[in-house]
Amino acid sequence: MVKRALDLLKDWQPRDHAGMTPLEHMEKMYSFGTPGTWYYFNPVVTIISAFLVWGFVIWAMVEQEYMAEDTGDIQSWVTDIWNWLYMGSQNFWILVLFWLLFKYFNLKLGADDDEPEFSDITYFAMLFSCGVATGLWYYTAEAMWHYEGYGTPRWTDQYMWNDNTRAEHALMV
């Protein structure tokens, strides 16, 4: 029986379901709800997942010092070992974006006889200003709000440190 269970776990090949459509096969599975709606789930998987997640959360709340040390070790291991995967995936997505750019360069949004409302330079200026505004908000305005706050500084006590230290902490939030 254990061998059969292990064989089933190793076998991930899709199977033909004897003339059934995928929807008919899903209706035969142990589940709640109707396939194709937002309310459709497998209760066994849902309950086991909920117990695992809440067990981890409760364990982290009870053993805070131990979990802080272990998660720090795990994070440093992931960044040391898997950094190449992150860098490679980012380069891959840039290549995908360039491929999409060249594939759909002449794509027209609208009817065939419509003229563009804005020129290419205007579209570039709008997108560029959105990027600049985002950078200004996150790296200037938000830090200033953490530094000064409304009435009192949000991040630290204004009398505890000097202005330079408070500014450093506001940027680190």
Side-chain angles (χ1 to χ4, degrees):
M1 183 167 165
V2 173
K3 183 178 181 331
R4 172 76 177 135
L6 290 175
D7 288 342
L8 285 174
L9 286 175
K10 292 178 185 175
D11 183 17
W12 290 93
Q13 295 296 323
R15 290 180 174 66
D16 182 28
H17 298 291
M20 288 190 290
T21 66
L23 188 62
E24 292 170 342
H25 178 68
M26 288 173 65
E27 287 173 350
K28 289 181 66 178
M29 293 172 30
Y30 183 62
S31 61
F32 287 123
T34 307
T37 63
W38 68 272
Y39 184 72
Y40 178 71
F41 66 95
N42 183 327
V44 175
V45 172
T46 303
I47 291 170
I48 289 173
S49 300
F51 275 117
L52 288 173
V53 168
W54 280 108
F56 181 78
V57 168
I58 291 169
W59 182 35
M61 290 180 355
V62 171
E63 297 288 339
Q64 291 180 6
E65 294 84 16
Y66 175 74
M67 288 301 289
E69 182 180 321
D70 274 0
T71 52
D73 292 343
I74 291 169
Q75 180 182 7
S76 62
W77 176 80
V78 167
T79 54
D80 288 343
I81 302 298
W82 295 102
N83 192 29
W84 65 270
L85 180 64
Y86 174 76
M87 297 299 290
S89 67
Q90 299 312 304
N91 293 333
F92 172 75
W93 286 116
I94 289 173
L95 292 175
V96 168
L97 288 175
F98 277 120
W99 177 76
L100 288 171
L101 171 73
F102 287 111
K103 181 173 182 175
Y104 296 107
F105 182 73
N106 292 325
L107 178 68
K108 187 166 190 162
L109 302 175
D112 289 336
D113 57 345
D114 285 348
E115 291 296 320
E117 186 176 351
F118 302 104
S119 67
D120 291 342
I121 293 173
T122 307
Y123 271 116
F124 175 77
M126 288 188 280
L127 293 172
F128 183 77
S129 64
C130 289
V132 169
T134 302
L136 285 174
W137 169 252
Y138 282 110
Y139 296 111
T140 306
E142 186 182 19
M144 291 302 292
W145 184 76
H146 288 296
Y147 178 72
E148 290 295 328
Y150 293 102
T152 60
R154 179 176 185 265
W155 180 243
T156 60
D157 183 14
Q158 109 182 39
Y159 302 108
M160 190 169 177
W161 292 310
N162 63 22
D163 284 342
N164 289 338
T165 307
R166 285 181 38 232
E168 287 174 10
H169 281 280
L171 288 172
M172 286 188 292
V173 171

